[in-house]
Amino acid sequence: STVLNIGGLSTTTISINPHDGKVIEYRTNDRCASGTGFFLEMAAQALEMRVEDLGAVALSAKGRAHISAQCAVFGESEIVTHVNDGAEPADIVSGIVYSIGASAASMARRLSLEREVIVTGGVGKNLGVIKAVEASIGFETMKVPWDPQLVGAIGAALWAQERNNHID
């Protein structure tokens, strides 16, 4: 199984042994916050939108503006350039979420990508990013049964409970 945790300031991909649930390998992004929730927040501000609306806006796009920056600051500059060039806001947002999803998928492919992929973290709430991840990996991700932003906290609580039960 593979976990893509796309949070506010980092993206981590984790390969998990399906038999015992232990981490086999993981990687965290080594660049600026371009593939994270922070970048989505910057983009929303630059486009005068609400961050929670970006996923739906991206899915309504007729095209996709090219966002190539590997840094949030340069990405914001690209957004401003697209706005100044008259690009449709939805096409710009589509480019942003695709950039984030493709970057996360690329990280996952560096590990042993399994067909069981789950996206967690706050960015996991953005359906546009989820669809971009799926387009990049070539299959659907598993649906998170809880709020994706809470998955890490739920896991930590379960781990602590299990550990506490073993101490008794």
Side-chain angles (χ1 to χ4, degrees), residues 146 151-165:
W146 310 284
V151 170
I154 292 168
L158 291 171
W159 178 80
Q161 179 184 28
E162 180 181 311
R163 185 171 179 178
N164 189 41
N165 288 342

Side-chain angles (χ1 to χ4, degrees), residues 31-98:
R31 293 191 174 98
C32 179
S34 64
T36 66
F38 177 72
F39 184 45
L40 285 175
E41 289 174 8
M42 285 179 59
Q45 185 175 6
L47 294 167
E48 299 178 351
M49 294 182 185
R50 295 175 347 137
V51 71
E52 53 270 16
D53 295 336
L54 294 180
V57 170
L59 294 176
S60 74
K62 293 181 177 40
R64 181 185 315 140
H66 183 70
I67 304 291
S68 62
Q70 295 296 313
C71 173
V73 173
F74 294 136
E76 185 178 27
S77 177
E78 280 188 283
I79 292 167
V80 171
T81 298
H82 285 303
V83 168
N84 291 338
D85 288 345
E88 289 294 323
D91 293 350
I92 298 169
V93 174
S94 177
I96 293 162
V97 301
Y98 184 80

Side-chain angles (χ1 to χ4, degrees), residues 6-24:
I6 310 173
L9 295 175
S10 68
T11 300
T12 304
T13 182
I14 307 163
S15 180
I16 298 176
N17 185 322
H19 303 293
D20 63 11
K22 298 206 186 251
V23 173
I24 298 170

